Amino acid sequence: MTTLVFGHKSPDTDSTGSPIIWAWYLNEVKGQEAEAVLLGEPNTEAAFMLERWDLPKPRIITNVDDDQPCIVVDTNNPAELPTNINGADVRGIIDHHKLVGGLETKGPIDIRIEPLACTATIMYKMIDKDMAQAPTWVKGAMLTCILSDTLAFRSPTTTQEDEAIAWGLAKDLDLDPHAYADEMFAAKSDVSAFSDAELIRMDSKEYEVGGTKFRVSVLETTAPATVLERKDSLMASMADVAKEDDVDQVLLFVVDILNEEATLLVPNDLVKGVVEKSFGASVAGDTVVLPGVMSRKKQIIPNLAV
Amino acid sequence: MTTLVFGHKSPDTDSTGSPIIWAWYLNEVKGQEAEAVLLGEPNTEAAFMLERWDLPKPRIITNVDDDQPCIVVDTNNPAELPTNINGADVRGIIDHHKLVGGLETKGPIDIRIEPLACTATIMYKMIDKDMAQAPTWVKGAMLTCILSDTLAFRSPTTTQEDEAIAWGLAKDLDLDPHAYADEMFAAKSDVSAFSDAELIRMDSKEYEVGGTKFRVSVLETTAPATVLERKDSLMASMADVAKEDDVDQVLLFVVDILNEEATLLVPNDLVKGVVEKSFGASVAGDTVVLPGVMSRKKQIIPNLAV
């Protein structure tokens, strides 16, 4: 049976590109039948990657059958995976997030989780010498994933390995990584087509802190003004999204990639308290700027306090 | 703070040797402070390994403190780890078992799980070129772990990688792996010092099948007769152990390493039914021989039915 390779729901660039890269490796190098699939529509940056490297958009699936062979990439969190993931036959996990617990496998499997910025970086290391066989589009997808997850080396999640591998790929592809990243971020920053609720859910993860359930949403953009001019309707939408998704509060961080800071929307006293406790910032008005904050994983989640 | 490296409770050879190997690697190659510890007394084969390679017995710990940096090897199952494992700071997992779920980490970590027979084989691959710096005792511990987990290449869990790496190590050490394994298995087979309950719990894992909780115990030996002559008192003890450990039934498989078969003790109709359903064997009397059965992971657990 063909092995399905997929990342998390609401696929970003790494969760779109990494399955494509790994399916190539399994099919072309390892001689194993594999298909990259998506758990939803790719975001605008991921869509840009598909177009830029002439990649067909993977099929979108909504669930997995019992005993379906699967390889999960860019997450190990059952909440971000199909409902029936523990009924499927998960044969591999390649990820760079903390171990959440809850995912089970039917047999001994291949798991590789490393504290790097990007799944594609881990895949590059695993593919190793066989990268010599990689076509241009595999290298292009890898580079795009790494530049996306590191915000072009600005994010504090960036490691020397991510950076060195990205520069090597860029050299092979004869691309200036910073100029290419600007194109990517421009694509990601065009959010005009999305509703407020879609923007809030686009890059969002649920966390519970001290009994309060948060949906922590991040919007990485080179044009924060185009998001912030919608702040009133975004704040109105946050309450609806929270109710629909059964969380207590949405936190929406608008990350300014170029200026390396985040603006958090502060719709109420709960969020105001969270800002003060988590980031030691004082709030006046309905937004607060957090200098240097770019990474949910490294800077937001570890500090979150109620 | 010194990182603690440990395997599972009731440490066998791999759960004793692998922490020692990895602590060497962290201390001597990576320059990180690490200490190998044990979650209980090593079994007789593991004790033989310590003596044979002149290794000091690691300190035995009973729990881990909050935020204690840890690396977990040879298991990913919280039930086989200290009670407070999810309060500790688990920074790495190296294992060859299926993902059980339940173990969580505070941050992104290094996880490497591969479907090989032995944790030490994975470590050999990870240490890679730095094996050139490995002292004799590290190679000796690695070889012992691989021969133990593969039952000297007889177990169906054995992969080509395990076998190739073990032969390479044996060559370096100028040892005949089969002659050396015979010494190891003789040490393991001397169970005269252990009570029935100790024998039952020595290499034992809990599994639930169709609502029935089993403690699946394996005794690998080159002298099955010395175990089987104690079968009446062992069967009497099984009921007590089951009650104390809150499981419904103990299954005790006496694995004859040299003849490549297992003898299962059949104290009651529940076990008789399990044998018939799981292995298609018919039972007459209070033992049943299962030809070819050597591996709990590959042959017993996947077939277990009630």
Side-chain angles (χ1 to χ4, degrees):
Chain A
M1 200 168 8
T2 303
T3 299
L4 298 183
V5 188
F6 47 83
H8 54 72
K9 292 178 186 170
S10 301
D12 58 6
T13 301
D14 197 25
S15 261
T16 303
S18 292
I20 294 174
I21 293 162
W22 203 247
W24 164 78
Y25 177 63
L26 292 180
N27 281 311
E28 302 303 325
V29 181
K30 306 291 275 184
Q32 297 165 17
E33 246 181 77
E35 180 190 3
V37 294
L38 294 172
L39 302 186
E41 281 295 335
N43 74 9
T44 47
E45 188 188 76
F48 165 85
M49 171 183 66
L50 296 177
E51 202 179 303
R52 173 66 177 78
W53 300 99
D54 206 14
L55 303 168
K57 188 173 91 175
R59 188 163 63 91
I60 293 177
I61 62 166
T62 50
N63 208 347
V64 284
D65 292 334
D66 281 341
D67 300 317
Q68 167 65 51
C70 299
I71 292 176
V72 171
V73 304
D74 195 31
T75 182
N76 65 78
N77 186 349
E80 300 177 354
L81 289 165
T83 321
N84 191 39
I85 192 68
N86 280 336
D89 181 7
V90 177
R91 295 188 175 176
I93 301 171
I94 306 170
D95 189 20
H96 61 115
H97 296 91
K98 70 176 200 155
L99 194 62
V100 174
L103 196 60
E104 296 166 12
T105 64
K106 295 199 192 297
I109 64 160
D110 260 305
I111 304 186
R112 183 93 164 226
I113 303 182
E114 292 188 45
L116 300 176
C118 178
T119 308
T121 309
I122 305 171
M123 290 180 174
Y124 181 97
K125 290 173 66 183
M126 293 176 79
I127 296 173
D128 199 30
K129 293 191 189 78
D130 293 318
M131 276 305 296
Q133 305 177 41
T136 300
W137 58 265
V138 165
K139 294 179 187 172
M142 280 182 164
L143 176 64
T144 315
C145 291
I146 302 174
L147 292 172
S148 171
D149 271 0
T150 62
L151 299 174
F153 318 130
R154 292 178 183 94
S155 169
T157 59
T158 312
T159 68
Q160 285 183 338
E161 283 188 298
D162 295 293
E163 195 158 350
I165 288 169
W167 277 101
L169 289 165
K171 204 182 152 204
D172 272 7
L173 293 164
D174 202 16
L175 274 180
D176 170 12
H178 287 290
Y180 176 61
D182 287 346
E183 286 181 63
M184 290 167 47
F185 299 151
K188 177 153 60 180
S189 302
D190 179 10
V191 295
S192 53
F194 297 101
S195 71
D196 293 323
E198 283 169 338
L199 275 191
I200 289 168
R201 291 197 182 99
M202 190 170 287
D203 181 359
S204 184
K205 299 193 178 187
E206 291 183 18
Y207 294 90
E208 195 171 318
V209 181
T212 306
K213 281 193 278 185
F214 292 99
R215 181 176 262 297
V216 181
S217 302
V218 169
L219 267 180
E220 296 162 349
T221 176
T222 53
T226 64
V227 180
L228 292 173
E229 71 192 8
R230 288 166 63 173
K231 80 174 153 62
D232 291 339
S233 65
L234 280 166
M235 283 195 286
S237 180
M238 281 162 68
D240 301 333
V241 168
K243 195 176 284 175
E244 272 178 44
D245 296 353
D246 193 29
V247 298
D248 297 304
Q249 182 63 50
V250 170
L251 300 175
L252 177 57
F253 295 82
V254 181
V255 171
D256 182 336
I257 302 173
L258 303 180
N259 290 312
E260 304 194 9
E261 64 184 25
T263 301
L264 174 62
L265 304 196
V266 185
N268 56 37
D269 282 351
L270 171 60
V271 176
K272 195 177 167 195
V274 168
V275 173
E276 289 167 354
K277 276 209 166 177
S278 309
F279 304 103
S282 57
V283 182
D286 57 6
T287 60
V288 59
V289 174
L290 303 168
V293 170
M294 306 188 77
S295 164
R296 176 169 47 208
K297 187 160 79 174
K298 282 252 183 186
Q299 296 169 303
I300 297 173
I301 298 307
N303 290 315
L304 216 56
V306 185
Chain B
M1 203 170 4
T2 303
T3 299
L4 298 182
V5 188
F6 48 82
H8 54 71
K9 292 177 186 171
S10 301
D12 58 7
T13 301
D14 196 25
S15 261
T16 303
S18 292
I20 294 173
I21 294 163
W22 204 246
W24 164 78
Y25 177 63
L26 292 180
N27 282 310
E28 302 302 325
V29 181
K30 305 292 274 184
Q32 296 166 16
E33 248 182 75
E35 180 190 2
V37 294
L38 294 172
L39 302 186
E41 281 294 335
N43 74 11
T44 48
E45 188 187 76
F48 165 85
M49 171 182 66
L50 296 177
E51 202 178 304
R52 173 66 178 78
W53 300 100
D54 205 14
L55 303 169
K57 189 173 91 177
R59 188 164 64 92
I60 294 177
I61 63 165
T62 51
N63 208 349
V64 284
D65 293 334
D66 282 340
D67 300 316
Q68 167 65 52
C70 299
I71 291 177
V72 171
V73 305
D74 195 30
T75 182
N76 66 77
N77 186 349
E80 299 176 356
L81 290 165
T83 322
N84 192 38
I85 192 68
N86 279 336
D89 181 7
V90 178
R91 295 187 176 176
I93 301 170
I94 306 170
D95 188 21
H96 62 114
H97 296 91
K98 70 175 199 155
L99 194 62
V100 174
L103 196 59
E104 295 166 14
T105 64
K106 296 199 191 298
I109 65 162
D110 259 306
I111 304 185
R112 183 92 162 226
I113 303 182
E114 291 189 45
L116 300 176
C118 179
T119 308
T121 309
I122 304 171
M123 289 180 174
Y124 181 98
K125 291 173 65 183
M126 292 174 80
I127 296 173
D128 199 31
K129 293 191 189 77
D130 294 318
M131 278 303 297
Q133 304 177 42
T136 300
W137 58 266
V138 165
K139 293 179 189 172
M142 279 182 165
L143 176 64
T144 315
C145 290
I146 302 175
L147 291 172
S148 171
D149 270 0
T150 62
L151 299 172
F153 319 130
R154 292 178 183 93
S155 169
T157 58
T158 312
T159 69
Q160 286 183 337
E161 284 188 297
D162 294 295
E163 195 157 352
I165 288 169
W167 276 100
L169 290 164
K171 204 182 152 204
D172 272 7
L173 294 163
D174 201 17
L175 274 180
D176 170 12
H178 287 290
Y180 176 62
D182 287 345
E183 287 180 63
M184 291 167 45
F185 299 151
K188 176 152 61 181
S189 302
D190 179 9
V191 295
S192 53
F194 296 100
S195 71
D196 294 322
E198 284 170 337
L199 276 190
I200 289 169
R201 291 197 182 99
M202 190 170 288
D203 181 0
S204 183
K205 299 193 177 188
E206 291 183 18
Y207 293 90
E208 194 171 320
V209 181
T212 306
K213 281 193 277 186
F214 291 99
R215 181 176 262 298
V216 181
S217 301
V218 169
L219 268 179
E220 296 162 350
T221 178
T222 53
T226 64
V227 179
L228 293 172
E229 71 192 10
R230 288 166 64 173
K231 79 176 154 63
D232 291 340
S233 65
L234 279 166
M235 283 195 286
S237 179
M238 282 162 69
D240 300 333
V241 168
K243 195 176 285 175
E244 271 178 45
D245 297 352
D246 193 28
V247 299
D248 297 304
Q249 182 63 49
V250 169
L251 301 175
L252 178 59
F253 294 83
V254 182
V255 172
D256 182 336
I257 301 174
L258 303 179
N259 290 312
E260 305 194 7
E261 64 185 25
T263 301
L264 174 62
L265 304 196
V266 185
N268 56 37
D269 283 350
L270 170 59
V271 177
K272 193 175 169 199
V274 168
V275 174
E276 289 168 353
K277 276 210 169 178
S278 309
F279 305 103
S282 56
V283 181
D286 56 7
T287 61
V288 60
V289 174
L290 304 169
V293 170
M294 307 188 79
S295 164
R296 176 169 47 208
K297 187 160 80 172
K298 283 253 184 186
Q299 296 169 303
I300 297 172
I301 297 307
N303 290 315
L304 216 56
V306 185

